[in-house]
Amino acid sequence: MRTLKLTVAYDGTELAGWQRQASGRTVQGLLEDALTRIEGGPVSVVGSGRTDAGVHASGQVASVSVTNRLDPLTLRHALNANLPTDVRVLDVAEAPAGFDARRDAAQKTYEYRILNGVIASPFTRRFVWLVPQPLDIDAMARAAARLVGRHDFASFQSTGSSAATTCRTIRESQLVQDGPRELAERFSPIPMIAPADDASSVRLRYRIAGDGFLRHMVRTIVGTLVEIGLGRREADSVGAIMEARDRAEAGPTAPAHGLCLVRVEYSSVASGH
Amino acid sequence: MRTLKLTVAYDGTELAGWQRQASGRTVQGLLEDALTRIEGGPVSVVGSGRTDAGVHASGQVASVSVTNRLDPLTLRHALNANLPTDVRVLDVAEAPAGFDARRDAAQKTYEYRILNGVIASPFTRRFVWLVPQPLDIDAMARAAARLVGRHDFASFQSTGSSAATTCRTIRESQLVQDGPRELAERFSPIPMIAPADDASSVRLRYRIAGDGFLRHMVRTIVGTLVEIGLGRREADSVGAIMEARDRAEAGPTAPAHGLCLVRVEYSSVASGH
């Protein structure tokens, strides 16, 4: 048996999330089906974590044990040929025996995109949350920065979850405003929306990296940051929300489609690099 | 009656093109249906040109006569509320009586996106043509530049077309390589694909502006440029292809989904600006 580390990207719009289900298109299901066709026998794929329905990934990581001897590039090609275009295997690498993408994950990075404007471009609508009301971006950025460090995030976990501990260490929590439109236009890999007066819209990107995340944690943080941006909460209310350890104290869960898992990191020993 | 100029963007992936049809989602049909609901009576929308099924637009222009007295911003809002998210009205402006988006169009600009690499990102796959073989980009750029000027484009028109004249004036015809990945990453409005070795891929954008385009003309030019890039034709074969006035002399029609109508320009008299 060989153990492989797969790096996977997906557009979550038409996916029922990561985890295999009895019915519905899931990333795990599509990967296992593709690998099973290549292997000629059943295969189990372990993801670094279960992204929800509608959530995207540009750098999800999965581990899998296989018996075939295809070299990594050939295997990547065979996998992509057996997957729909909304799921792509970006990289296949040999990993040490026993590598487990979930257990061994040391840090994950998520990004959440907000368009503060009145019209979402048809080209990016699947990947951004459109918030039309004016936002106090400085207040949101200050609140975001307060999450860095080791904290109890029980208030930001969806009710009914049962994680062993609700403490997590956040290494980065940053709200940034994307570059000016002219530069975006120049470097964008997709068609940009035409001038019109929506040129006044602001593209925000919230980036958070930590050793782990509770269920709906990033989306609840974003929902809370937007309430701060709308002036419904103070920027420094974040400390009190954390202390309360009560989901009812935090803001609403932001929509899934603004969220993207961009990176999963492993210690060099675990992943063999 | 008021005459309005609409600027419209659409993701053509799930559209059967611009022109209204007995069945199938079309941009004209969706716009007319939305306006009819607002007007309470039938409305005819005229586009600057008919984009094919699968072709996108970030700056299509349409003209329409209406009787309602809604101000332009309110009308834009009402239109977008009555349209699916893959079609957005970016701008509504008053136009002089008799303004006709098709007849009065002075110049159109199209862009065609090519990804020269082995994996199309799930986030941009709807908007780029993936060409995995190595391309001679310099040869393609030289050939592209040769199209500038007034030429007979009969060889680049789909067979069976019946345009009155096949001569068109091209003011810009340029193949550019998009900026480095780091900058794209920084300014991209959507999640970028993770590193992996597909970092070697090159994003190309072909931009062409002219006083008019024959049916399938841009896609046939792009199909011919790619054949030049693949070394199947010489860069300077473009002149002979034009002289032949024979569709069989040009390359294949490139896929619709790489193409985007980015801009339509009018003389200040025609559009009232």
Side-chain angles (χ1 to χ4, degrees), chain B residues 45-65:
Chain B
V45 173
V46 174
S48 76
R50 301 166 184 171
T51 52
D52 291 327
V55 172
H56 316 289
S58 59
Q60 170 70 289
V61 173
S63 53
V64 62
S65 291

Side-chain angles (χ1 to χ4, degrees), chain A residues 18 137 141 197 214:
Chain A
W18 171 268
I137 295 165
D197 61 352
L214 303 166

Side-chain angles (χ1 to χ4, degrees), chain B residues 84 186 210 214 241 266 273:
Chain B
R186 191 156 149 219
L214 303 167
I241 295 170
Y266 295 87
H273 285 107

Side-chain angles (χ1 to χ4, degrees), chain B residues 81-92:
Chain B
N82 280 281
L83 286 166
T85 59
D86 53 350
V87 179
R88 291 289 93 178
V89 174
L90 304 181
D91 190 50
V92 175

Side-chain angles (χ1 to χ4, degrees), chain A residues 26-177:
Chain A
T26 67
V27 187
Q28 188 185 28
L30 290 165
L31 284 171
E32 287 181 349
D33 292 351
L35 273 164
T36 297
R37 278 192 291 277
I38 296 164
E39 280 278 283
V43 171
S44 283
V45 173
V46 174
S48 75
R50 301 166 184 172
T51 52
D52 292 326
V55 172
H56 317 287
S58 59
Q60 169 70 289
V61 173
S63 53
V64 63
S65 291
V66 294
T67 54
N68 76 67
R69 292 163 173 257
L70 297 169
D71 70 276
L73 270 183
T74 305
L75 192 52
R76 182 181 79 170
H77 183 79
L79 272 165
N80 284 325
N82 280 281
L83 285 165
T85 58
D86 52 350
V87 179
R88 292 288 93 180
V89 174
L90 303 181
D91 190 50
V92 175
E94 307 284 350
F99 168 66
D100 183 303
R102 185 175 185 178
R103 194 195 55 220
D104 298 338
Q107 178 162 296
K108 287 182 197 171
T109 305
Y110 283 93
E111 284 187 359
Y112 195 101
R113 278 147 210 269
I114 296 170
L115 181 70
N116 189 205
V118 292
I119 297 174
S121 154
F123 311 114
T124 56
R125 73 201 144 101
R126 292 167 159 242
F127 311 111
V128 297
W129 180 22
L130 182 70
V131 178
Q133 302 96 323
L135 290 175
D136 180 343
I137 295 165
D138 287 342
M140 293 171 72
R142 281 200 311 277
R146 291 208 43 170
L147 298 174
V148 174
R150 185 151 185 91
H151 301 290
D152 188 333
F153 286 97
S155 294
F156 294 96
Q157 173 180 241
S158 58
T159 48
S161 304
S162 56
T165 164
T166 49
C167 287
R168 295 290 184 273
T169 300
I170 300 303
R171 293 204 179 77
E172 181 184 354
S173 172
Q174 210 185 163
L175 185 79
V176 294
Q177 192 170 331

